[in-house]
PDB file of all heavy atoms in Angstrom:
ATOM      1  N   LEU B 289      -0.433   8.007 -11.738  1.00  0.00           N
ATOM      2  CA  LEU B 289      -0.464   8.177 -10.286  1.00  0.00           C
ATOM      3  C   LEU B 289       0.846   8.812  -9.860  1.00  0.00           C
ATOM      4  O   LEU B 289       1.919   8.291 -10.152  1.00  0.00           O
ATOM      5  CB  LEU B 289      -0.640   6.817  -9.600  1.00  0.00           C
ATOM      6  CG  LEU B 289      -0.595   6.810  -8.069  1.00  0.00           C
ATOM      7  CD1 LEU B 289      -1.779   7.569  -7.498  1.00  0.00           C
ATOM      8  CD2 LEU B 289      -0.587   5.371  -7.553  1.00  0.00           C
ATOM      9  N   TYR B 290       0.765   9.943  -9.195  1.00  0.00           N
ATOM     10  CA  TYR B 290       1.950  10.667  -8.729  1.00  0.00           C
ATOM     11  C   TYR B 290       2.079  10.476  -7.220  1.00  0.00           C
ATOM     12  O   TYR B 290       1.135  10.707  -6.465  1.00  0.00           O
ATOM     13  CB  TYR B 290       1.849  12.150  -9.093  1.00  0.00           C
ATOM     14  CG  TYR B 290       1.991  12.377 -10.572  1.00  0.00           C
ATOM     15  CD1 TYR B 290       0.889  12.227 -11.423  1.00  0.00           C
ATOM     16  CD2 TYR B 290       3.220  12.704 -11.142  1.00  0.00           C
ATOM     17  CE1 TYR B 290       1.022  12.398 -12.798  1.00  0.00           C
ATOM     18  CE2 TYR B 290       3.355  12.879 -12.503  1.00  0.00           C
ATOM     19  CZ  TYR B 290       2.248  12.724 -13.317  1.00  0.00           C
ATOM     20  OH  TYR B 290       2.390  12.890 -14.682  1.00  0.00           O
ATOM     21  N   LEU B 291       3.266  10.062  -6.811  1.00  0.00           N
ATOM     22  CA  LEU B 291       3.526   9.748  -5.410  1.00  0.00           C
ATOM     23  C   LEU B 291       4.678  10.588  -4.896  1.00  0.00           C
ATOM     24  O   LEU B 291       5.697  10.734  -5.567  1.00  0.00           O
ATOM     25  CB  LEU B 291       3.912   8.267  -5.262  1.00  0.00           C
ATOM     26  CG  LEU B 291       2.903   7.233  -5.709  1.00  0.00           C
ATOM     27  CD1 LEU B 291       3.577   5.879  -5.922  1.00  0.00           C
ATOM     28  CD2 LEU B 291       1.805   7.097  -4.677  1.00  0.00           C
ATOM     29  N   CYS B 292       4.521  11.128  -3.688  1.00  0.00           N
ATOM     30  CA  CYS B 292       5.669  11.734  -3.031  1.00  0.00           C
ATOM     31  C   CYS B 292       6.143  10.770  -1.946  1.00  0.00           C
ATOM     32  O   CYS B 292       5.360   9.989  -1.403  1.00  0.00           O
ATOM     33  CB  CYS B 292       5.337  13.099  -2.446  1.00  0.00           C
ATOM     34  SG  CYS B 292       4.077  13.116  -1.159  1.00  0.00           S
ATOM     35  N   ALA B 293       7.429  10.789  -1.674  1.00  0.00           N
ATOM     36  CA  ALA B 293       8.013   9.918  -0.652  1.00  0.00           C
ATOM     37  C   ALA B 293       9.065  10.697   0.111  1.00  0.00           C
ATOM     38  O   ALA B 293       9.977  11.274  -0.497  1.00  0.00           O
ATOM     39  CB  ALA B 293       8.629   8.677  -1.300  1.00  0.00           C
ATOM     40  N   GLY B 294       8.941  10.723   1.414  1.00  0.00           N
ATOM     41  CA  GLY B 294       9.887  11.445   2.248  1.00  0.00           C
ATOM     42  C   GLY B 294      10.834  10.477   2.934  1.00  0.00           C
ATOM     43  O   GLY B 294      10.449   9.373   3.320  1.00  0.00           O
ATOM     44  N   TRP B 295      12.074  10.894   3.040  1.00  0.00           N
ATOM     45  CA  TRP B 295      13.095  10.085   3.715  1.00  0.00           C
ATOM     46  C   TRP B 295      13.490  10.741   5.018  1.00  0.00           C
ATOM     47  O   TRP B 295      13.821  11.915   5.057  1.00  0.00           O
ATOM     48  CB  TRP B 295      14.331   9.951   2.829  1.00  0.00           C
ATOM     49  CG  TRP B 295      14.133   9.046   1.684  1.00  0.00           C
ATOM     50  CD1 TRP B 295      13.555   9.358   0.493  1.00  0.00           C
ATOM     51  CD2 TRP B 295      14.483   7.666   1.609  1.00  0.00           C
ATOM     52  NE1 TRP B 295      13.536   8.247  -0.316  1.00  0.00           N
ATOM     53  CE2 TRP B 295      14.096   7.201   0.335  1.00  0.00           C
ATOM     54  CE3 TRP B 295      15.088   6.775   2.497  1.00  0.00           C
ATOM     55  CZ2 TRP B 295      14.294   5.890  -0.070  1.00  0.00           C
ATOM     56  CZ3 TRP B 295      15.287   5.467   2.095  1.00  0.00           C
ATOM     57  CH2 TRP B 295      14.888   5.034   0.826  1.00  0.00           C
ATOM     58  N   GLY B 296      13.476   9.949   6.091  1.00  0.00           N
ATOM     59  CA  GLY B 296      13.974  10.413   7.375  1.00  0.00           C
ATOM     60  C   GLY B 296      15.444  10.070   7.496  1.00  0.00           C
ATOM     61  O   GLY B 296      16.021   9.404   6.632  1.00  0.00           O
ATOM     62  N   ASN B 297      16.058  10.512   8.550  1.00  0.00           N
ATOM     63  CA  ASN B 297      17.489  10.255   8.728  1.00  0.00           C
ATOM     64  C   ASN B 297      17.795   8.779   8.945  1.00  0.00           C
ATOM     65  O   ASN B 297      18.907   8.329   8.720  1.00  0.00           O
ATOM     66  CB  ASN B 297      18.037  11.078   9.897  1.00  0.00           C
ATOM     67  CG  ASN B 297      18.045  12.551   9.569  1.00  0.00           C
ATOM     68  OD1 ASN B 297      18.227  12.926   8.412  1.00  0.00           O
ATOM     69  ND2 ASN B 297      17.825  13.392  10.557  1.00  0.00           N
ATOM     70  N   ALA B 298      16.810   8.010   9.393  1.00  0.00           N
ATOM     71  CA  ALA B 298      17.053   6.595   9.679  1.00  0.00           C
ATOM     72  C   ALA B 298      17.035   5.743   8.421  1.00  0.00           C
ATOM     73  O   ALA B 298      17.243   4.543   8.499  1.00  0.00           O
ATOM     74  CB  ALA B 298      16.010   6.085  10.668  1.00  0.00           C
ATOM     75  N   GLY B 299      16.812   6.349   7.276  1.00  0.00           N
ATOM     76  CA  GLY B 299      16.807   5.578   6.041  1.00  0.00           C
ATOM     77  C   GLY B 299      15.503   4.868   5.765  1.00  0.00           C
ATOM     78  O   GLY B 299      15.477   3.907   5.009  1.00  0.00           O
ATOM     79  N   LYS B 300      14.437   5.362   6.376  1.00  0.00           N
ATOM     80  CA  LYS B 300      13.123   4.759   6.166  1.00  0.00           C
ATOM     81  C   LYS B 300      12.272   5.749   5.387  1.00  0.00           C
ATOM     82  O   LYS B 300      12.250   6.931   5.701  1.00  0.00           O
ATOM     83  CB  LYS B 300      12.499   4.491   7.528  1.00  0.00           C
ATOM     84  CG  LYS B 300      11.198   3.770   7.532  1.00  0.00           C
ATOM     85  CD  LYS B 300      10.833   3.477   8.985  1.00  0.00           C
ATOM     86  CE  LYS B 300       9.386   3.135   9.124  1.00  0.00           C
ATOM     87  NZ  LYS B 300       9.049   2.881  10.540  1.00  0.00           N
ATOM     88  N   SER B 301      11.603   5.258   4.356  1.00  0.00           N
ATOM     89  CA  SER B 301      10.819   6.174   3.531  1.00  0.00           C
ATOM     90  C   SER B 301       9.337   6.066   3.851  1.00  0.00           C
ATOM     91  O   SER B 301       8.841   5.003   4.225  1.00  0.00           O
ATOM     92  CB  SER B 301      11.052   5.869   2.053  1.00  0.00           C
ATOM     93  OG  SER B 301      10.651   4.557   1.761  1.00  0.00           O
TER      94      SER B 301
END
Side-chain angles (χ1 to χ4, degrees):
Chain B
L289 176 66
Y290 290 83
L291 300 162
C292 62
W295 287 83
N297 291 328
K300 185 174 163 181
S301 61

